[in-house]
């Protein structure tokens, strides 16, 4: 199993902002503005040399642009793309966690 890259607090914050904005439809305008503000602040701090962080940063920029434009199709596309990214990232994390669990169980069984 390949070790996952170590993510910084800024990277995690970026990912959570993108996830919140892409998936929370009932948060209200105040929350959207607050999370968008955090996202704008954290984007320059994210480690774009890591491919997954770069993808989240791109998704965050697309979401901010879509929120600013208020164009329905652009907004829907940015949210959809971010949701697919989140789904892929979570599936990868789940697969890694499952590998670790299986390896630990084998180690316990084999002593």
């Amino acid at each position: 199993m390949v070790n996952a890259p170590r993510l910084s607090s800024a990277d995690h914050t970026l990912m959570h902002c993108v996830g919140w904005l892409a998936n929370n439809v009932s948060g209200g305008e105040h929350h959207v503005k607050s999370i968008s503000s955090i996202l704008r602040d954290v984007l320059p701090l994210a480690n774009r040399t890591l491919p997954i962080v770069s993808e989240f940063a791109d998704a965050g920029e697309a979401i901010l642009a879509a929120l600013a434009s208020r164009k329905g199709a652009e907004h829907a596309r940015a949210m959809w793309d971010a949701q697919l990214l989140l789904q892929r990232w979570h599936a990868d994390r789940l697969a890694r966690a499952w590998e670790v669990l299986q390896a630990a169980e084998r180690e316990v069984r084999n002593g």
Side-chain angles (χ1 to χ4, degrees):
M1 179 176 80
V2 176
N3 288 333
R6 187 134 174 103
L7 302 175
S8 70
S9 295
D11 299 337
H12 277 110
T13 302
L14 166 68
M15 294 167 128
H16 285 290
C17 286
V18 168
W20 193 94
L21 290 168
N23 290 297
N24 289 286
V25 294
S26 63
E29 191 64 27
H30 171 73
H31 288 97
V32 171
K33 286 181 181 179
S34 295
I35 301 298
S36 296
S37 177
I38 294 168
L39 178 56
R40 274 190 289 283
D41 290 346
V42 80
L43 274 167
L45 305 174
N47 182 0
R48 288 183 183 241
T49 61
L50 299 174
I52 191 65
V53 175
S54 181
E55 287 184 76
F56 271 93
D58 292 346
E61 288 171 344
I63 288 171
L64 290 175
L67 288 171
S69 76
R70 297 290 185 192
K71 292 180 182 171
E74 183 180 346
H75 185 266
R77 181 59 193 221
M79 298 308 169
W80 177 252
D81 288 347
Q83 290 167 358
L84 291 176
L85 173 60
L86 285 159
Q87 184 179 20
R88 191 178 81 238
W89 180 74
H90 279 105
D92 180 60
R93 297 284 299 221
L94 175 60
R96 290 173 193 247
W98 182 240
E99 286 179 23
V100 170
L101 177 62
Q102 289 178 318
E105 287 179 342
R106 279 193 300 275
E107 190 174 313
V108 167
R109 278 194 305 270
N110 296 333

